[in-house]
Amino acid sequence: VAAINQRIREEGHTVLLLGPGRWGSRDPWLGIPVTWGQISAARAIVETDFPDLEVEPSQGSHFFHNLTCFGVSYLTVHEGRDGGAIDWAWFDAQPVVESALDGVVRHLRSEAPLTVIVDGVQGRGVVVPVGEASGR
């Protein structure tokens, strides 16, 4: 993840990170054990459940300090609960720039930039390709 993040930063791009459990967890059973510097190209982070385990969202004060300071949107998606859904087929259809760990980590690049809309008051959000946001 760190090497991919570095290449993305060098290219001047930003990313949406999507993965199971907590980003930045020290416990690999609860999520993805990365440091902030390893995911610094993120402009939005989406945490979702493992197929067999629902993990509580990140709660660390340092994590949220970084989100706030760097203007990173943060969403948790529990599929099938509270209307949460991820269009995995859409992600699977995106071109793979590079992958690691036998495809477990994939760097995808969509043809259109993504729009992230977050309503912090109502606790809702959506990520869609540019042009589709107005139809949602």
Side-chain angles (χ1 to χ4, degrees):
V1 172
I4 293 171
N5 183 76
Q6 183 62 34
R7 281 189 285 284
I8 290 167
R9 288 183 54 87
E10 288 170 358
E11 294 172 2
H13 294 287
T14 58
V15 297
L16 163 76
L17 294 177
L18 169 64
R22 297 178 185 163
W23 281 93
S25 173
R26 293 183 188 194
D27 184 346
W29 293 104
L30 292 178
I32 301 142
V34 292
T35 63
W36 187 257
Q38 294 172 316
I39 60 172
S40 59
R43 287 301 161 260
I45 297 175
V46 178
E47 295 179 340
T48 189
D49 299 322
F50 289 98
D52 58 347
L53 177 65
E54 186 175 303
V55 177
E56 290 298 315
S58 293
Q59 300 175 11
S61 59
H62 287 99
F63 178 78
F64 284 102
H65 172 78
N66 285 334
L67 293 179
T68 302
C69 287
F70 296 110
V72 177
S73 298
Y74 169 78
L75 301 163
T76 57
V77 178
H78 298 289
E79 291 195 85
R81 190 175 95 190
D82 300 327
I86 295 174
D87 186 351
W88 293 108
W90 183 87
F91 283 100
D92 287 339
Q94 302 311 301
V96 177
V97 176
E98 60 186 309
S99 66
L101 300 173
D102 294 324
V104 172
V105 174
R106 292 182 301 152
H107 171 197
L108 310 175
R109 183 160 293 148
S110 66
E111 290 185 19
L114 301 176
T115 297
V116 179
I117 303 168
V118 177
D119 180 342
V121 174
Q122 295 190 24
R124 299 183 313 173
V126 65
V127 177
V128 293
V130 168
E132 291 186 26
S134 60
R136 301 267 172 154

